[in-house]
Amino acid sequence: MSFKSLGLSEPLLRAISKKGYEIPSPIQAKAIPPVLEGKDVLASAQTGTGKTAGFTLPLLHLLSENPKDKYRPIRALILTPTRELAAQVYANVKEYSEFLNIKSAVVFGGVNQKPQVATIRQGIDVLVATPGRLLDLEGQGALSLKRVEIFVLDEADRMLDMGFLRDIERVMKLMPDKRQNLMFSATFSKEIKKLAYTILNNPVQVEATPENTAVEVIEQKVHRVAKGKKTGLIIKLISEGNWKQVLVFTRTKHGANNLCKKMIGAGITAAAIHGNKSQGARTKALAGFKTGSVRVLVATDIAARGLDIPLLPHVVNFELPNISEDYVHRIGRTGRAGASGEAISLVSADETSYLRSIEKLIDMRIDVEIIEGFEPDPNASTEPIKQGQNRSQGRGRNSSSNSRSSGNTRTTNRNKSGNRRRSDNRS
Ligand code: AMP
């Protein structure tokens, strides 16, 4: 299958070939035709599948093929959960529309709104936005959504995780009822299905099934370790392994800052990226990480969502996520495009139940290794950490799962998809 056979116009085909894409990715092959037919689409796809081009290319095709108003009202709105994702989607819109008479802009918070307003005033066809700044600007009369023909909700699941449901509902009320809607989400919870029901009209459902799921391609390992020894362990792994580019996930912003400081103290160049960082700081950190001047990027899930970091060799979960799907998103940042990658999780006793849920989700046991000098604390409680709370160790003694967490004898077998599975004395 070629991009041409999907029915995209010549200027778009030129832009696609300039980007170096040869064939459509599965999600593009599935999503582009129904979008071109003007249908609503519900797509299941995560970052890395080529989903952005999946909605941007047909959207640009439709806008450029239909007559334009010389005042250029906003005809397409793409809503994304994070600033980084908005900036990335906008960069894609710009590239794909290079040979078209289409103008676009991006608006997000954390930066001066004046230049954003000035660009919109000149007339734009496509607006990429995060919900907060969009509603602010609309409230100030700086933009109108009354002429929107195509609405894209990108990473809808993350939108809900970030508490944007109300904002999405407000945005919908600002657009005409008659419009085409496209919704992309990596996961489909009950809430997402409910949202899809309210936004979409008789949608075509498409799904990207990666040839290899992340969990099959990526080498995964768990280091059981005492909570207080995690920092020492990660510094040892990075230094002794001479890792050059490592993405590290923490659960909280505070944790990200703290770890970052300690890395720098140990002579490892590091930067943190999270919601409390200014847009400038985030962009600088990401740019440094991509060029190699920053060896370690410490991120929270929300900040890392949607970042396009190609060929990442190492991902470390300094703390496991309490939402199992986030584990799959995190480790999905390594092993892209057939490159091998390694995902390591530092797991303390209080994260045992998170590990269990993750293993259940991915349907395999992750190898456990204990590093000498960084052993788990046999007296630590396996009771899960309460959200937003940092617990110290050593609360309960020798619960049944404590002894499990420090045990390490096991046998290896394979699950139904051929992956190595562990059955050990932890279960
Ligand atoms: P996305 O899932 O939209 O974040 O895209 C992930 C990466 O795949 C980006 O770096 C895109 O530039 C790239 N990409 C998108 N479509 C294609 C394609 N058809 N062929 C090769 N690379 C692509």
Side-chain angles (χ1 to χ4, degrees), residues 3 6 8 16 19 21 23-32 43-58 85 88-89 92 96 154-155 184 206-210 306-308 336-337:
F3 279 105
L6 293 176
L8 294 168
I16 292 166
K19 280 286 277 180
Y21 303 166
I23 49 161
S25 70
I27 195 73
Q28 291 162 2
K30 287 179 193 168
I32 293 174
S44 160
Q46 61 188 66
T47 301
T49 55
K51 69 181 169 70
T52 316
F55 60 77
T56 309
L57 293 170
L85 188 59
Q88 270 170 36
V89 170
N92 278 290
Y96 301 141
D154 195 12
E155 302 206 347
F184 284 72
V206 297
E207 196 177 339
T209 357
L307 293 185
D308 183 22
R336 278 189 183 179

Side-chain angles (χ1 to χ4, degrees), residues 340-356:
S340 66
E342 185 182 36
I344 284 181
S345 303
L346 309 189
V347 182
S348 50
D350 55 0
E351 294 171 296
T352 302
S353 63
Y354 296 162
L355 180 61
R356 292 282 168 275

